[in-house]
Amino acid sequence: MLDVRKSLPEDPAKLRAFTALLLAEVKSQAILIEKLRHQLAGHRAHRFGASSETSEQLQLALETTEIAIAVLTAKLRLPDDTPADKPKRKPIPDHIPRVEVELTPGSAECAHCGGKLRRLGEDVTEELEYVPGRFIVNRIVRPRMACSGCDCFTQAPLPSRPIERGRPGPGLLAHVLVNKYADHLPLYRQSQIFERDRLDIDRSTLADWVGKSTALLEPLADAIGRHVLAGQAIFADDTPVAMLAPGTGKTQTARLWAYGRDERPWGSAIPPASWYRFSSDRKGQHPKDHLSDYTGWMHADGYAGFEDLYRNGAIREVACLAHVRRKFVDVHKAQGSAIADEAIRRIAALYAVEKAARGLPPDKRVEIRQAEAKPAFDDLEAWLNGQLHDISGKSPLAAAIRYALTRMARLRPYLDHGILEIDNNTAERAMRSVALGRKNYLFVGSQTGGKSAAIAYTLIETAKLNGVDPQAWLADTLARIPDHKINRIDELLPWNAR
C-alpha cells in the first residue's frame, strides 16, 4: 500500500516513478472492488435467482467489467501488470499454421562505418491472427546483425501493433469485435468456440482485447460523430440497456442513443453513418450534450427530453409517421376497429407517394409531395379530428387519434422540404443490432463498458450502411491506426476504405 503521509519527491524522475506507483495502486484497487462487487452479485444470483442461469449471468458480468478495466488501462497507459488470479498466457499450439515474415535492417552494410553485417541470431515474435475461416500464426523473425568492421549491432524494429506486448493480430481483434457486436456472441461463448480449434483463449483475455481495441478506435468513432452532425437533417432514437448499479449487485436502466445521417433517399452521394452514445440514464441533458454543436432538422419520436433541444430554434423537429401508424395498428389488432383500419389505409397512401419520390432530388420530391401528399395529409388530419366527436374520449382509439394529431402538426415540415423524411425509421433500424444483442447479454457492467459498446456499434453499423465488410475493414484499420496521424483520421473511415 502507498504511504500517503510521505511528501511528494521533488526530483522529476522520482516523481514519475511515484506517479506510476500511484496509478498502479489505483488500478489494483479498482480491479479488486469490481471483482468483489461481481462476486457478491454472483452469490446473490446463486442464492435467489434461477439456478440454470447463474453460470451465464456471472460470466457475462465478469466480461463487461473486464472490458471496462481494459479501457481504463489503455486510456491511462497503465502498466499491463497481470493479476495473480489471471490465467497465464499459454504458447500458441503447434498445429496452427505458421506464416513466416522476416524483417531485415534493409542494408547489408553497417550504417556507421560501412562494414559488412553478419548475422548473430534472431528475435522471433509470434502473433495469432485470424483470416476468414481459419487461424494462422504470423511468425515475425528479426535477425540480429553485427558489423564486421566495428562493434555496432542493428535490427529491424518490430512493427507497431494494435495491442502492445499482446499477441493478437488485427484480423483476430476484428473477428472478436464483430462476433460480439454484430453477431451477438458473448465473449465466454467465443472462448468456447475457439476451444474447438484447440486454442485456449480465456474470456478475460478476450475482454482485455475488446476494451483496448475500442479505446484505440475511439478517435474514429468521434470522426463518424462529426460527420453525422454535419448533415442538414439527422435521425435520433434511444433504447434501454441494463447496467450494473455500482455497489448494489442490481441493475439500473441505462440508455444507448443513436444519431443517424442518411441522405440517399434524396439522391445525395454523402455516405450514410450511425453514431451511438451511451448514458447511465435517460435525462434530457444527454442528447442536449451530444447535439450541442448541431444545427438543423432532427427526426425523432415524441420523447419529452428532446423538447429542450427545440426551444432556441437551432434544432427543428420532424415527427415520425411510423409511430403514428403503430398506434392505430395496436388498436386494430386489439379491437378490430374499422376507424383504425381506415387510418392505416390513409397512412399507406402517404407512404405510396414517398415510394415514388425516393431517390429524386429535393426539389422534385417537394413537387410530388405538394401535388399528391399534401391533399392526402390535410384530409387525414381533418378526418381524424372528425372521428374524435363520435367515439369515447377515454378509449384507446381516442388516445391514438390525439397522439396522431399532435405529431402530425410536427410532421408537416416534410411536405415543404425535400431533404426530410416521412418517418424516423433510419434511427430505428440503427437500433436493431442493439435489440438483438440484448437477447444475448444481460447488462453492461459499467459506464466504461457501455461506452465501449457505443464505439463498436458506431464503427460496425456505419461500415454495414456503406456496404463495407466490417470485419475486413476493422482488420485493416486496426493494422494501420497505431501509426496513423490523428489529424488524418478521416482517411480511415469506412467509405474511404482501400
Side-chain angles (χ1 to χ4, degrees):
M1 293 289 291
L2 292 174
D3 186 356
V4 296
R5 294 170 294 181
K6 291 182 180 179
S7 59
L8 291 175
E10 296 182 0
D11 179 74
K14 292 181 179 179
L15 183 58
R16 283 194 295 271
F18 182 86
T19 304
L21 181 62
L22 179 62
L23 289 172
E25 179 73 11
V26 171
K27 178 186 175 183
S28 66
Q29 292 296 321
I31 293 172
L32 176 60
I33 290 169
E34 289 300 326
K35 284 192 174 181
L36 289 173
R37 285 174 179 166
H38 285 310
Q39 286 174 8
L40 178 60
H43 286 311
R44 285 175 175 168
H46 180 74
R47 185 176 179 186
F48 302 111
S51 59
S52 62
E53 298 177 356
T54 301
S55 177
E56 287 196 0
Q57 288 177 341
L58 189 55
Q59 290 271 12
L60 290 164
L62 291 171
E63 173 180 313
T64 53
T65 295
E66 286 158 350
I67 291 173
I69 292 170
V71 173
L72 178 67
T73 300
K75 288 272 189 180
L76 298 181
R77 299 183 181 276
L78 298 175
D80 267 326
D81 297 327
T82 303
D85 60 344
K86 185 170 182 177
K88 292 183 179 179
R89 178 187 298 179
K90 297 180 181 179
I92 302 174
D94 293 336
H95 72 276
I96 304 296
R98 263 61 176 174
V99 176
E100 187 162 308
V101 179
E102 184 168 290
L103 304 179
T104 61
S107 172
E109 297 179 348
C110 178
H112 295 275
C113 71
K116 186 176 180 181
L117 296 176
R118 55 190 175 85
R119 187 167 183 152
L120 291 181
E122 63 187 25
D123 289 329
V124 177
T125 303
E126 290 202 331
E127 175 184 85
L128 182 62
E129 183 60 296
Y130 181 84
V131 295
R134 63 192 177 97
F135 289 96
I136 62 170
V137 175
N138 288 328
R139 192 169 184 272
I140 304 169
V141 179
R142 296 180 299 134
R144 297 189 299 274
M145 310 296 288
C147 176
S148 58
C150 66
D151 294 330
C152 289
F153 291 85
T154 186
Q155 185 180 43
L158 189 66
S160 296
R161 303 158 80 190
I163 298 178
E164 292 299 332
R165 297 184 300 278
R167 67 178 180 181
L172 178 55
L173 294 175
H175 182 60
V176 172
L177 286 172
V178 170
N179 274 350
K180 179 171 175 60
Y181 294 107
D183 299 330
H184 321 298
L185 276 175
L187 298 182
Y188 80 90
R189 291 184 189 163
Q190 293 191 51
S191 178
Q192 293 168 352
I193 292 170
F194 294 157
E195 284 182 7
R196 295 203 291 265
D197 281 303
R198 291 181 285 165
L199 280 169
D200 186 4
I201 306 177
D202 192 77
R203 181 214 64 247
S204 62
T205 300
L206 296 175
D208 185 68
W209 293 355
V210 169
K212 289 178 178 175
S213 296
T214 53
L216 180 65
L217 293 166
E218 185 175 358
L220 202 54
D222 292 341
I224 290 174
R226 291 191 295 272
H227 173 79
V228 169
L229 299 186
Q232 300 177 61
I234 62 172
F235 303 82
D237 198 9
D238 69 294
T239 193
V241 177
M243 181 182 79
L244 192 66
T248 66
K250 300 178 181 178
T251 60
Q252 66 186 58
T253 302
R255 310 298 291 194
L256 264 175
W257 307 80
Y259 303 99
R261 179 183 182 184
D262 191 348
E263 301 174 1
R264 293 174 296 180
W266 45 276
S268 172
I270 300 296
S274 291
W275 181 45
Y276 295 79
R277 304 287 282 170
F278 177 84
S279 66
S280 59
D281 53 51
R282 205 193 185 196
K283 293 178 181 176
Q285 185 61 41
H286 299 301
K288 195 172 181 179
D289 291 339
H290 302 158
L291 305 176
S292 59
D293 296 326
Y294 178 67
T295 300
W297 297 96
M298 186 173 86
H299 300 78
D301 59 20
Y303 168 50
F306 287 147
E307 291 300 319
D308 263 356
L309 297 173
Y310 310 136
R311 289 201 171 99
N312 65 4
I315 298 177
R316 290 164 288 176
E317 181 186 14
V318 188
C320 173
L321 190 60
H323 277 79
V324 172
R325 181 183 181 277
R326 204 167 295 147
K327 299 285 186 182
F328 290 113
V329 169
D330 291 342
V331 172
H332 186 261
K333 284 182 177 178
Q335 302 176 0
S337 166
I339 294 176
D341 185 56
E342 176 64 14
I344 294 168
R345 188 192 65 77
R346 289 172 179 256
I347 290 171
L350 291 171
Y351 272 102
V353 176
E354 286 306 293
K355 186 176 180 180
R358 186 163 298 276
L360 298 178
D363 56 341
K364 296 293 185 183
R365 281 158 63 93
V366 171
E367 286 181 18
I368 293 174
R369 286 171 176 173
Q370 289 293 316
E372 301 179 35
K374 188 175 184 301
F377 192 95
D378 292 340
D379 286 348
L380 173 60
E381 200 168 36
W383 179 78
L384 288 172
N385 270 307
Q387 300 308 308
L388 276 178
H389 300 295
D390 301 327
I391 61 176
S392 169
K394 295 182 179 180
S395 66
L397 179 59
I401 292 175
R402 285 193 295 270
Y403 175 83
L405 291 171
T406 301
R407 300 308 293 158
M408 287 179 72
R410 298 191 176 194
L411 178 60
R412 190 169 285 276
Y414 100 95
L415 296 168
D416 303 315
H417 298 83
I419 63 170
L420 302 181
E421 291 297 297
I422 196 171
D423 56 37
N424 192 35
N425 284 351
T426 295
E428 294 201 5
R429 284 192 295 270
M431 285 304 185
R432 285 179 185 169
S433 59
V434 179
L436 288 170
R438 274 201 306 256
K439 296 179 180 179
N440 291 280
Y441 60 79
L442 299 175
F443 48 78
V444 296
S446 65
Q447 292 197 51
T448 306
K451 184 177 179 181
S452 288
I455 291 169
Y457 282 128
T458 295
L459 302 175
I460 291 170
E461 294 305 312
T462 297
K464 288 161 62 176
L465 279 173
N466 286 274
V468 174
D469 176 6
Q471 183 163 313
W473 170 67
L474 279 174
D476 179 66
T477 300
L478 283 164
R480 297 166 62 190
I481 199 170
D483 295 321
H484 204 82
K485 292 183 178 179
I486 192 68
N487 60 355
R488 294 170 54 192
I489 196 71
D490 287 3
E491 295 174 359
L492 299 180
L493 291 169
W495 49 87
N496 294 327
R498 296 186 301 191

